[in-house]
Amino acid sequence: MRHLRCFVVLAEELHFGRAAQRLHVAQPALSQLIQRVERELGAQLFLRTRRTVSLTEAGQTLLPEARRILRDADRVTQAVRAVHRGETGSVTIGFVGSAADDVLPRLVAAHRRHHPGVSIRLEEGTTAQQLEWLRDQRITVGLGRTPIDDPAVSTVVLARESLVLAVPDSHALSGAESAELAGLAEEPFIMFPRHLGPGLYDIIHSACAAAGFTPSVVYETVRMQTIVGLVSGGLGVALVPESVRNLGRKGVRYVHLADAPPAIELSMMWRNDCESPHLQPLRKTARHL
């Protein structure tokens, strides 16, 4: 590309001194470079006299093609650099269902504003599934429930929220302002399997243990929407993130817990060795949510 660029500048200036000045090279070096190009092409590109420099017919033929090649090379270079800076290309974000109630739409909207050239794909899955996807490089970052036990993955907390008790409309506590965990010892619980979300699962079980009982789990399911659906059908109660209220499911009431467990975390997760150019821009967007 350097040879073509030097040829084009000399063709525009038709003067070795001015061309060398524009290219920031010594005039003898420019003259040698042009001679080398002519030898490689097997054609004389310039007619040289003591006073003038002009293009030969071969040089006139090469000039528009050289300009086109240089424009294309510049375009490709800019495109590659834009991808490297995380300004274009595509990124895949994993998320737990409850993240879609608040954090996910804010994150996606903010990132699209600042990086309109980036295509964003979304993959819904449990925290455990997202950790697998991170290992397989199926997603760039995940939005999951922490803490997690994976030394290969880093996290940053994006939001904290309380757990609330979800009960069917027909339940005795449906009209209560608050409830205590100890009063739920005989209730049938609906939860998700521990291996799919150990952080939240352990918080719920630890809170119940502190209240003096182990929850009697009658149904296990993966999605929060399904858990709430089963509650609405009168099949049990559930402890769910407060943001689940936004689902607006009919037949369910949400009751504040007087002795609520510690706030649960929704965090961004990524591989420690992630080399995606989109990681740092995504983290920057997340910091300003």
Side-chain angles (χ1 to χ4, degrees):
M1 292 303 165
R2 180 170 177 269
H3 292 73
L4 284 180
R5 206 173 298 280
C6 290
F7 163 75
V8 169
V9 171
L10 181 57
E12 291 171 350
E13 295 292 344
L14 295 176
H15 189 283
F16 275 90
R18 291 195 298 271
Q21 204 168 22
R22 274 182 61 183
L23 292 164
H24 305 289
V25 298
Q27 186 172 326
L30 175 61
S31 180
Q32 292 172 9
L33 188 146
I34 294 299
Q35 290 172 10
R36 192 179 308 128
V37 173
E38 290 176 326
R39 284 197 301 271
E40 290 175 357
L41 293 176
Q44 187 176 359
L45 302 175
F46 295 94
L47 293 173
R48 307 163 179 83
T49 69
R50 287 192 172 189
R51 293 187 177 183
T52 63
V53 176
S54 60
L55 282 169
T56 64
E57 185 174 353
Q60 291 172 358
T61 301
L62 177 60
L63 182 58
E65 293 300 318
R67 283 173 168 157
R68 179 186 61 77
I69 291 170
L70 290 173
R71 283 196 302 270
D72 288 346
D74 287 342
R75 178 182 56 77
V76 170
T77 298
Q78 291 304 316
V80 170
R81 287 176 177 171
V83 171
H84 180 70
R85 294 190 297 264
E87 296 172 357
T88 60
S90 63
V91 62
T92 303
I93 301 174
F95 66 98
V96 292
S98 55
D101 298 323
D102 178 41
V103 172
L104 178 67
R106 289 194 293 119
L107 176 66
V108 172
H111 203 68
R112 284 174 63 92
R113 280 197 305 272
H114 296 297
H115 303 277
V118 175
S119 172
I120 300 176
R121 293 182 64 251
L122 301 175
E123 291 272 2
E124 183 176 357
T126 65
T127 299
Q129 287 174 322
Q130 291 179 64
L131 291 174
E132 286 292 332
W133 296 344
L134 286 171
R135 282 189 281 272
D136 296 340
Q137 300 187 55
R138 176 174 164 179
I139 61 176
T140 311
V141 300
L143 302 180
R145 295 295 176 183
T146 51
I148 58 170
D149 182 20
D150 191 330
V153 175
S154 294
T155 64
V156 62
V157 177
L158 302 184
R160 291 182 173 88
E161 59 181 320
S162 300
L163 288 172
V164 294
L165 174 65
V167 299
D169 272 348
S170 58
H171 196 278
L173 291 172
S174 64
E177 291 187 5
S178 65
E180 293 187 356
L181 280 172
L184 306 176
E186 303 301 321
E187 296 287 346
F189 274 76
I190 302 167
M191 291 186 64
F192 47 88
R194 184 182 186 280
H195 70 275
L196 295 179
L200 180 54
Y201 184 98
D202 288 347
I203 286 174
I204 292 174
H205 269 258
S206 295
C208 291
F213 72 98
T214 298
S216 174
V217 179
V218 290
Y219 295 105
E220 287 187 334
T221 184
V222 172
R223 294 165 57 88
M224 280 293 172
Q225 292 91 331
T226 307
I227 290 175
V228 173
L230 294 175
V231 170
S232 73
L235 299 176
V237 302
L239 296 181
V240 297
E242 191 163 17
S243 58
V244 172
R245 292 177 184 266
N246 297 329
L247 293 176
R249 182 73 186 225
K250 293 181 179 180
V252 180
R253 296 295 177 91
Y254 298 96
V255 182
H256 170 73
L257 290 169
D259 50 350
I264 58 173
E265 301 172 345
L266 179 68
S267 299
M268 178 177 283
M269 311 178 296
W270 66 91
R271 286 168 54 119
N272 295 336
D273 60 353
C274 178
E275 297 181 354
S276 169
H278 299 289
L279 175 59
Q280 294 307 320
L282 275 169
R283 291 181 61 188
K284 183 177 180 180
T285 300
R287 281 198 301 270
H288 293 90
L289 286 181

mmCIF file of all heavy atoms in Angstrom, residues 201-239:
data_model
loop_
_atom_site.group_PDB
_atom_site.id
_atom_site.type_symbol
_atom_site.label_atom_id
_atom_site.label_comp_id
_atom_site.label_asym_id
_atom_site.label_seq_id
_atom_site.Cartn_x
_atom_site.Cartn_y
_atom_site.Cartn_z
ATOM 1 N N TYR A 201 -31.041 -19.673 45.304
ATOM 2 C CA TYR A 201 -31.560 -20.855 45.998
ATOM 3 C C TYR A 201 -31.032 -20.917 47.428
ATOM 4 O O TYR A 201 -31.792 -21.141 48.384
ATOM 5 C CB TYR A 201 -31.152 -22.106 45.221
ATOM 6 C CG TYR A 201 -31.683 -23.413 45.762
ATOM 7 C CD1 TYR A 201 -32.812 -24.005 45.217
ATOM 8 C CD2 TYR A 201 -31.038 -24.064 46.818
ATOM 9 C CE1 TYR A 201 -33.295 -25.220 45.698
ATOM 10 C CE2 TYR A 201 -31.509 -25.271 47.312
ATOM 11 C CZ TYR A 201 -32.637 -25.842 46.749
ATOM 12 O OH TYR A 201 -33.107 -27.042 47.242
ATOM 13 N N ASP A 202 -29.728 -20.713 47.584
ATOM 14 C CA ASP A 202 -29.123 -20.813 48.917
ATOM 15 C C ASP A 202 -29.580 -19.685 49.839
ATOM 16 O O ASP A 202 -29.745 -19.891 51.046
ATOM 17 C CB ASP A 202 -27.590 -20.795 48.799
ATOM 18 C CG ASP A 202 -27.050 -22.095 48.206
ATOM 19 O OD1 ASP A 202 -27.822 -23.069 48.124
ATOM 20 O OD2 ASP A 202 -25.861 -22.118 47.831
ATOM 21 N N ILE A 203 -29.800 -18.502 49.277
ATOM 22 C CA ILE A 203 -30.303 -17.389 50.098
ATOM 23 C C ILE A 203 -31.679 -17.738 50.663
ATOM 24 O O ILE A 203 -31.969 -17.531 51.845
ATOM 25 C CB ILE A 203 -30.357 -16.087 49.266
ATOM 26 C CG1 ILE A 203 -28.942 -15.542 49.040
ATOM 27 C CG2 ILE A 203 -31.225 -15.032 49.972
ATOM 28 C CD1 ILE A 203 -28.884 -14.349 48.126
ATOM 29 N N ILE A 204 -32.544 -18.289 49.806
ATOM 30 C CA ILE A 204 -33.894 -18.649 50.252
ATOM 31 C C ILE A 204 -33.848 -19.752 51.308
ATOM 32 O O ILE A 204 -34.487 -19.651 52.367
ATOM 33 C CB ILE A 204 -34.754 -19.086 49.050
ATOM 34 C CG1 ILE A 204 -35.016 -17.882 48.124
ATOM 35 C CG2 ILE A 204 -36.078 -19.698 49.517
ATOM 36 C CD1 ILE A 204 -35.722 -18.235 46.833
ATOM 37 N N HIS A 205 -33.061 -20.784 51.070
ATOM 38 C CA HIS A 205 -32.992 -21.889 52.027
ATOM 39 C C HIS A 205 -32.351 -21.460 53.339
ATOM 40 O O HIS A 205 -32.785 -21.890 54.422
ATOM 41 C CB HIS A 205 -32.225 -23.065 51.411
ATOM 42 C CG HIS A 205 -33.119 -24.027 50.688
ATOM 43 N ND1 HIS A 205 -33.522 -25.229 51.206
ATOM 44 C CD2 HIS A 205 -33.740 -23.914 49.478
ATOM 45 C CE1 HIS A 205 -34.337 -25.835 50.356
ATOM 46 N NE2 HIS A 205 -34.471 -25.073 49.287
ATOM 47 N N SER A 206 -31.344 -20.594 53.267
ATOM 48 C CA SER A 206 -30.704 -20.109 54.496
ATOM 49 C C SER A 206 -31.685 -19.273 55.318
ATOM 50 O O SER A 206 -31.729 -19.374 56.551
ATOM 51 C CB SER A 206 -29.464 -19.276 54.156
ATOM 52 O OG SER A 206 -28.478 -20.072 53.543
ATOM 53 N N ALA A 207 -32.480 -18.444 54.637
ATOM 54 C CA ALA A 207 -33.456 -17.621 55.343
ATOM 55 C C ALA A 207 -34.514 -18.493 56.017
ATOM 56 O O ALA A 207 -34.907 -18.235 57.166
ATOM 57 C CB ALA A 207 -34.104 -16.636 54.370
ATOM 58 N N CYS A 208 -34.965 -19.525 55.309
ATOM 59 C CA CYS A 208 -35.958 -20.425 55.898
ATOM 60 C C CYS A 208 -35.354 -21.190 57.084
ATOM 61 O O CYS A 208 -36.017 -21.375 58.120
ATOM 62 C CB CYS A 208 -36.473 -21.406 54.845
ATOM 63 S SG CYS A 208 -37.479 -20.637 53.543
ATOM 64 N N ALA A 209 -34.101 -21.602 56.950
ATOM 65 C CA ALA A 209 -33.434 -22.309 58.055
ATOM 66 C C ALA A 209 -33.322 -21.414 59.273
ATOM 67 O O ALA A 209 -33.527 -21.857 60.414
ATOM 68 C CB ALA A 209 -32.050 -22.780 57.602
ATOM 69 N N ALA A 210 -33.010 -20.123 59.035
ATOM 70 C CA ALA A 210 -32.911 -19.179 60.151
ATOM 71 C C ALA A 210 -34.269 -18.988 60.823
ATOM 72 O O ALA A 210 -34.338 -18.679 62.023
ATOM 73 C CB ALA A 210 -32.374 -17.833 59.650
ATOM 74 N N ALA A 211 -35.359 -19.187 60.056
ATOM 75 C CA ALA A 211 -36.703 -19.076 60.616
ATOM 76 C C ALA A 211 -37.173 -20.392 61.235
ATOM 77 O O ALA A 211 -38.294 -20.480 61.736
ATOM 78 C CB ALA A 211 -37.686 -18.635 59.529
ATOM 79 N N GLY A 212 -36.324 -21.422 61.176
ATOM 80 C CA GLY A 212 -36.617 -22.657 61.875
ATOM 81 C C GLY A 212 -37.231 -23.765 61.052
ATOM 82 O O GLY A 212 -37.788 -24.715 61.612
ATOM 83 N N PHE A 213 -37.152 -23.713 59.729
ATOM 84 C CA PHE A 213 -37.747 -24.793 58.936
ATOM 85 C C PHE A 213 -37.018 -24.936 57.590
ATOM 86 O O PHE A 213 -36.279 -24.049 57.152
ATOM 87 C CB PHE A 213 -39.236 -24.540 58.694
ATOM 88 C CG PHE A 213 -39.531 -23.423 57.713
ATOM 89 C CD1 PHE A 213 -39.830 -23.702 56.383
ATOM 90 C CD2 PHE A 213 -39.525 -22.101 58.137
ATOM 91 C CE1 PHE A 213 -40.106 -22.679 55.486
ATOM 92 C CE2 PHE A 213 -39.800 -21.074 57.243
ATOM 93 C CZ PHE A 213 -40.098 -21.363 55.911
ATOM 94 N N THR A 214 -37.249 -26.067 56.987
ATOM 95 C CA THR A 214 -36.780 -26.326 55.624
ATOM 96 C C THR A 214 -37.992 -26.278 54.711
ATOM 97 O O THR A 214 -38.993 -26.963 54.977
ATOM 98 C CB THR A 214 -36.112 -27.703 55.521
ATOM 99 O OG1 THR A 214 -34.965 -27.731 56.378
ATOM 100 C CG2 THR A 214 -35.679 -27.992 54.086
ATOM 101 N N PRO A 215 -37.954 -25.485 53.641
ATOM 102 C CA PRO A 215 -39.155 -25.366 52.797
ATOM 103 C C PRO A 215 -39.522 -26.690 52.151
ATOM 104 O O PRO A 215 -38.663 -27.446 51.693
ATOM 105 C CB PRO A 215 -38.733 -24.328 51.743
ATOM 106 C CG PRO A 215 -37.246 -24.319 51.759
ATOM 107 C CD PRO A 215 -36.839 -24.650 53.162
ATOM 108 N N SER A 216 -40.801 -26.952 52.136
ATOM 109 C CA SER A 216 -41.325 -28.166 51.491
ATOM 110 C C SER A 216 -41.604 -27.841 50.026
ATOM 111 O O SER A 216 -42.608 -27.193 49.694
ATOM 112 C CB SER A 216 -42.615 -28.607 52.188
ATOM 113 O OG SER A 216 -43.202 -29.690 51.501
ATOM 114 N N VAL A 217 -40.710 -28.258 49.161
ATOM 115 C CA VAL A 217 -40.801 -27.902 47.737
ATOM 116 C C VAL A 217 -41.643 -28.950 47.014
ATOM 117 O O VAL A 217 -41.289 -30.128 46.956
ATOM 118 C CB VAL A 217 -39.391 -27.812 47.105
ATOM 119 C CG1 VAL A 217 -39.494 -27.459 45.621
ATOM 120 C CG2 VAL A 217 -38.543 -26.789 47.847
ATOM 121 N N VAL A 218 -42.773 -28.487 46.461
ATOM 122 C CA VAL A 218 -43.678 -29.410 45.768
ATOM 123 C C VAL A 218 -43.474 -29.383 44.250
ATOM 124 O O VAL A 218 -43.769 -30.363 43.566
ATOM 125 C CB VAL A 218 -45.143 -29.088 46.113
ATOM 126 C CG1 VAL A 218 -45.433 -29.444 47.563
ATOM 127 C CG2 VAL A 218 -45.490 -27.634 45.825
ATOM 128 N N TYR A 219 -42.998 -28.255 43.739
ATOM 129 C CA TYR A 219 -42.728 -28.154 42.312
ATOM 130 C C TYR A 219 -41.433 -27.376 42.099
ATOM 131 O O TYR A 219 -41.156 -26.387 42.789
ATOM 132 C CB TYR A 219 -43.870 -27.434 41.566
ATOM 133 C CG TYR A 219 -45.182 -28.179 41.585
ATOM 134 C CD1 TYR A 219 -46.217 -27.756 42.406
ATOM 135 C CD2 TYR A 219 -45.378 -29.295 40.776
ATOM 136 C CE1 TYR A 219 -47.417 -28.446 42.440
ATOM 137 C CE2 TYR A 219 -46.577 -29.989 40.799
ATOM 138 C CZ TYR A 219 -47.592 -29.563 41.639
ATOM 139 O OH TYR A 219 -48.778 -30.253 41.675
ATOM 140 N N GLU A 220 -40.656 -27.832 41.135
ATOM 141 C CA GLU A 220 -39.463 -27.104 40.711
ATOM 142 C C GLU A 220 -39.596 -26.774 39.226
ATOM 143 O O GLU A 220 -39.996 -27.628 38.427
ATOM 144 C CB GLU A 220 -38.186 -27.933 40.933
ATOM 145 C CG GLU A 220 -37.773 -28.058 42.382
ATOM 146 C CD GLU A 220 -36.419 -28.733 42.525
ATOM 147 O OE1 GLU A 220 -36.048 -29.507 41.618
ATOM 148 O OE2 GLU A 220 -35.736 -28.484 43.540
ATOM 149 N N THR A 221 -39.265 -25.541 38.876
ATOM 150 C CA THR A 221 -39.328 -25.135 37.475
ATOM 151 C C THR A 221 -38.272 -24.063 37.234
ATOM 152 O O THR A 221 -37.792 -23.417 38.173
ATOM 153 C CB THR A 221 -40.732 -24.623 37.107
ATOM 154 O OG1 THR A 221 -40.762 -24.325 35.701
ATOM 155 C CG2 THR A 221 -41.097 -23.380 37.892
ATOM 156 N N VAL A 222 -37.936 -23.856 35.987
ATOM 157 C CA VAL A 222 -36.792 -23.018 35.648
ATOM 158 C C VAL A 222 -37.142 -21.528 35.618
ATOM 159 O O VAL A 222 -36.396 -20.690 36.122
ATOM 160 C CB VAL A 222 -36.203 -23.450 34.286
ATOM 161 C CG1 VAL A 222 -35.136 -22.474 33.821
ATOM 162 C CG2 VAL A 222 -35.632 -24.850 34.388
ATOM 163 N N ARG A 223 -38.277 -21.173 35.027
ATOM 164 C CA ARG A 223 -38.574 -19.762 34.749
ATOM 165 C C ARG A 223 -39.427 -19.132 35.849
ATOM 166 O O ARG A 223 -40.346 -19.759 36.371
ATOM 167 C CB ARG A 223 -39.296 -19.645 33.408
ATOM 168 C CG ARG A 223 -38.440 -20.034 32.216
ATOM 169 C CD ARG A 223 -39.288 -20.251 30.972
ATOM 170 N NE ARG A 223 -40.077 -19.077 30.636
ATOM 171 C CZ ARG A 223 -39.635 -18.081 29.856
ATOM 172 N NH1 ARG A 223 -38.428 -18.141 29.350
ATOM 173 N NH2 ARG A 223 -40.402 -17.042 29.581
ATOM 174 N N MET A 224 -39.109 -17.861 36.163
ATOM 175 C CA MET A 224 -39.893 -17.124 37.153
ATOM 176 C C MET A 224 -41.348 -16.995 36.713
ATOM 177 O O MET A 224 -42.267 -17.049 37.526
ATOM 178 C CB MET A 224 -39.291 -15.734 37.376
ATOM 179 C CG MET A 224 -38.098 -15.701 38.301
ATOM 180 S SD MET A 224 -38.562 -16.119 40.005
ATOM 181 C CE MET A 224 -36.945 -16.222 40.760
ATOM 182 N N GLN A 225 -41.552 -16.806 35.397
ATOM 183 C CA GLN A 225 -42.928 -16.682 34.909
ATOM 184 C C GLN A 225 -43.730 -17.951 35.204
ATOM 185 O O GLN A 225 -44.910 -17.882 35.542
ATOM 186 C CB GLN A 225 -42.926 -16.419 33.388
ATOM 187 C CG GLN A 225 -42.372 -15.054 33.006
ATOM 188 C CD GLN A 225 -40.885 -15.101 32.739
ATOM 189 O OE1 GLN A 225 -40.166 -15.930 33.313
ATOM 190 N NE2 GLN A 225 -40.406 -14.207 31.892
ATOM 191 N N THR A 226 -43.068 -19.101 35.100
ATOM 192 C CA THR A 226 -43.760 -20.366 35.383
ATOM 193 C C THR A 226 -44.019 -20.512 36.874
ATOM 194 O O THR A 226 -45.097 -20.988 37.277
ATOM 195 C CB THR A 226 -42.912 -21.547 34.882
ATOM 196 O OG1 THR A 226 -42.583 -21.336 33.502
ATOM 197 C CG2 THR A 226 -43.666 -22.851 35.029
ATOM 198 N N ILE A 227 -43.056 -20.120 37.691
ATOM 199 C CA ILE A 227 -43.247 -20.170 39.149
ATOM 200 C C ILE A 227 -44.463 -19.346 39.546
ATOM 201 O O ILE A 227 -45.340 -19.810 40.284
ATOM 202 C CB ILE A 227 -41.980 -19.664 39.874
ATOM 203 C CG1 ILE A 227 -40.840 -20.667 39.703
ATOM 204 C CG2 ILE A 227 -42.272 -19.418 41.356
ATOM 205 C CD1 ILE A 227 -39.519 -20.207 40.288
ATOM 206 N N VAL A 228 -44.531 -18.120 39.028
ATOM 207 C CA VAL A 228 -45.654 -17.236 39.366
ATOM 208 C C VAL A 228 -46.958 -17.801 38.813
ATOM 209 O O VAL A 228 -48.015 -17.701 39.448
ATOM 210 C CB VAL A 228 -45.388 -15.809 38.836
ATOM 211 C CG1 VAL A 228 -46.607 -14.922 39.029
ATOM 212 C CG2 VAL A 228 -44.179 -15.200 39.538
ATOM 213 N N GLY A 229 -46.893 -18.432 37.638
ATOM 214 C CA GLY A 229 -48.086 -19.045 37.063
ATOM 215 C C GLY A 229 -48.617 -20.163 37.937
ATOM 216 O O GLY A 229 -49.839 -20.296 38.132
ATOM 217 N N LEU A 230 -47.714 -20.971 38.478
ATOM 218 C CA LEU A 230 -48.144 -22.054 39.371
ATOM 219 C C LEU A 230 -48.721 -21.503 40.665
ATOM 220 O O LEU A 230 -49.679 -22.056 41.213
ATOM 221 C CB LEU A 230 -46.964 -22.983 39.655
ATOM 222 C CG LEU A 230 -46.425 -23.790 38.458
ATOM 223 C CD1 LEU A 230 -45.186 -24.574 38.845
ATOM 224 C CD2 LEU A 230 -47.501 -24.721 37.905
ATOM 225 N N VAL A 231 -48.141 -20.392 41.157
ATOM 226 C CA VAL A 231 -48.696 -19.748 42.354
ATOM 227 C C VAL A 231 -50.118 -19.277 42.068
ATOM 228 O O VAL A 231 -51.030 -19.471 42.874
ATOM 229 C CB VAL A 231 -47.802 -18.568 42.810
ATOM 230 C CG1 VAL A 231 -48.517 -17.754 43.899
ATOM 231 C CG2 VAL A 231 -46.464 -19.071 43.317
ATOM 232 N N SER A 232 -50.306 -18.649 40.913
ATOM 233 C CA SER A 232 -51.646 -18.131 40.575
ATOM 234 C C SER A 232 -52.672 -19.258 40.489
ATOM 235 O O SER A 232 -53.868 -19.049 40.694
ATOM 236 C CB SER A 232 -51.604 -17.358 39.255
ATOM 237 O OG SER A 232 -51.455 -18.234 38.154
ATOM 238 N N GLY A 233 -52.189 -20.477 40.166
ATOM 239 C CA GLY A 233 -53.095 -21.618 40.100
ATOM 240 C C GLY A 233 -53.358 -22.257 41.446
ATOM 241 O O GLY A 233 -54.043 -23.286 41.532
ATOM 242 N N GLY A 234 -52.829 -21.664 42.526
ATOM 243 C CA GLY A 234 -53.087 -22.164 43.872
ATOM 244 C C GLY A 234 -52.271 -23.393 44.243
ATOM 245 O O GLY A 234 -52.633 -24.126 45.159
ATOM 246 N N LEU A 235 -51.154 -23.613 43.556
ATOM 247 C CA LEU A 235 -50.362 -24.825 43.780
ATOM 248 C C LEU A 235 -49.267 -24.653 44.818
ATOM 249 O O LEU A 235 -48.557 -25.614 45.127
ATOM 250 C CB LEU A 235 -49.745 -25.286 42.458
ATOM 251 C CG LEU A 235 -50.766 -25.637 41.365
ATOM 252 C CD1 LEU A 235 -50.070 -25.978 40.066
ATOM 253 C CD2 LEU A 235 -51.640 -26.803 41.826
ATOM 254 N N GLY A 236 -49.107 -23.445 45.351
ATOM 255 C CA GLY A 236 -48.091 -23.225 46.361
ATOM 256 C C GLY A 236 -47.737 -21.749 46.463
ATOM 257 O O GLY A 236 -48.389 -20.892 45.848
ATOM 258 N N VAL A 237 -46.730 -21.457 47.291
ATOM 259 C CA VAL A 237 -46.241 -20.090 47.451
ATOM 260 C C VAL A 237 -44.784 -20.064 46.976
ATOM 261 O O VAL A 237 -44.151 -21.106 46.780
ATOM 262 C CB VAL A 237 -46.341 -19.618 48.915
ATOM 263 C CG1 VAL A 237 -47.780 -19.702 49.409
ATOM 264 C CG2 VAL A 237 -45.407 -20.428 49.819
ATOM 265 N N ALA A 238 -44.253 -18.855 46.813
ATOM 266 C CA ALA A 238 -42.870 -18.741 46.344
ATOM 267 C C ALA A 238 -42.245 -17.462 46.869
ATOM 268 O O ALA A 238 -42.939 -16.449 47.087
ATOM 269 C CB ALA A 238 -42.828 -18.764 44.816
ATOM 270 N N LEU A 239 -40.945 -17.506 47.091
ATOM 271 C CA LEU A 239 -40.180 -16.303 47.382
ATOM 272 C C LEU A 239 -39.519 -15.874 46.087
ATOM 273 O O LEU A 239 -38.731 -16.628 45.495
ATOM 274 C CB LEU A 239 -39.120 -16.578 48.462
ATOM 275 C CG LEU A 239 -39.665 -16.977 49.840
ATOM 276 C CD1 LEU A 239 -38.514 -17.199 50.811
ATOM 277 C CD2 LEU A 239 -40.616 -15.909 50.380
#
